[in-house]
């Protein structure tokens, strides 16, 4: 019995040792994760916060001038038509206050920061009335510098409007009509 126990414990020991060795070996074969520094984090939060603060201070043109567009191999300011649509959006839905909802750091060269912002106070009779929107900004290293852009570039498409753009414009128009009717009724 004692000999059987010694044999079994020796076998178990070698099994555990080989599992440990394999795990350590597998770890060595994994690619290294990019290191994201404190500076990388601050850059992403500061660049996106500057945009949100400008909107909160009703400096819409200044905020939009911080955004870039890179549809090809060049970085350009937002096209005038996109800037005009975004300006209209922030005039109808101004940033009253905001908070970070999520952040995603792909690596030291790319991060996304999503903000939830309040554009109005909820009506007294309906405290659950939706009064917030989200915006996701991207800080990305591109052609030698860091730039701020909207994360979803389908909104920034040139030429024909995307389905998302048409939907946003329709929703903006409906909201504007609703608010005008409510103001007339007061």
């Amino acid at each position: 019995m004692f000999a059987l126990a010694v044999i079994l414990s020796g076998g178990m020991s070698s099994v555990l040792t080989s599992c440990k060795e394999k795990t350590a070996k597998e770890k060595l074969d994994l690619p290294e994760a990019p290191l994201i520094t404190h500076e990388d984090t601050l850059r992403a939060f500061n660049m996106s916060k500057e945009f949100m603060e400008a909107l909160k201070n009703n400096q819409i043109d200044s905020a939009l001038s911080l955004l870039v567009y890179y549809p090809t191999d060049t970085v350009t300011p937002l096209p005038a038509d996109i800037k005009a649509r975004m300006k209209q959006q922030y005039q109808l839905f101004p940033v009253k206050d905001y908070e970070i909802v999520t952040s995603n750091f792909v690596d030291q060269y790319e991060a996304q920061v999503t903000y939830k912002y309040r554009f109005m106070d909820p009506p007294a009779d309906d405290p659950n009335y939706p009064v917030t929107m989200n915006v996701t900004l991207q800080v990305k290293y591109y052609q030698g510098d860091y730039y701020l852009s909207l994360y979803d570039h389908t909104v920034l498409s040139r030429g024909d409007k995307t389905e998302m753009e048409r939907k946003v414009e329709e929703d903006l128009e409906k909201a504007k009509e609703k608010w005008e009717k409510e103001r007339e009724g007061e």
Side-chain angles (χ1 to χ4, degrees), residues 13-162:
S13 174
S14 67
V15 168
L16 291 174
T17 303
S18 70
C19 286
K20 286 180 186 175
E21 288 174 10
K22 187 175 183 181
T23 304
K25 189 175 183 178
E26 287 174 352
K27 286 182 182 177
L28 293 175
D29 293 339
L30 294 175
E32 269 189 46
L35 295 177
I36 299 168
T37 66
H38 178 69
E39 181 182 280
D40 300 325
T41 306
L42 284 178
R43 179 186 314 104
F45 289 141
N46 288 339
M47 289 178 76
S48 60
K49 182 181 178 184
E50 183 180 358
F51 175 79
M52 295 303 292
E53 277 295 309
L55 289 176
K56 183 178 176 182
N57 294 322
N58 202 30
Q59 300 168 342
I60 299 170
D61 290 327
S62 177
L64 296 178
S65 71
L66 297 172
L67 298 178
V68 298
Y69 179 67
Y70 28 76
T72 60
D73 286 338
T74 59
V75 176
T76 62
L78 289 180
D81 59 329
I82 294 172
K83 208 179 237 189
R85 288 194 304 262
M86 291 182 70
K87 184 173 182 174
Q88 180 184 20
Q89 175 186 338
Y90 288 114
Q91 287 172 333
L92 287 172
F93 301 101
V95 174
K96 302 293 185 185
D97 59 35
Y98 62 90
E99 64 185 52
I100 293 176
V101 179
T102 62
S103 60
N104 176 35
F105 289 82
V106 177
D107 55 30
Q108 66 269 38
Y109 301 114
E110 182 179 351
Q112 296 92 32
V113 182
T114 300
Y115 289 91
K116 175 171 67 174
Y117 70 90
R118 182 177 56 85
F119 57 86
M120 65 180 270
D121 292 322
D125 62 339
D126 187 2
N128 294 322
Y129 189 82
V131 296
T132 61
M133 289 186 177
N134 287 351
V135 61
T136 301
L137 301 167
Q138 179 178 43
V139 175
K140 186 174 181 180
Y141 185 81
Y142 190 76
Q143 295 184 342
D145 206 353
Y146 288 90
Y147 295 96
L148 183 68
S149 65
L150 288 179
Y151 178 61
D152 184 359
H153 286 292
T154 59
V155 174
L156 299 178
S157 66
R158 289 184 180 242
D160 292 340
K161 294 178 186 171
T162 64

Side-chain angles (χ1 to χ4, degrees), residues 179-186:
W179 286 348
E180 287 173 358
K181 286 179 185 178
E182 288 175 1
R183 287 184 187 157
E184 289 173 4
E186 291 177 353

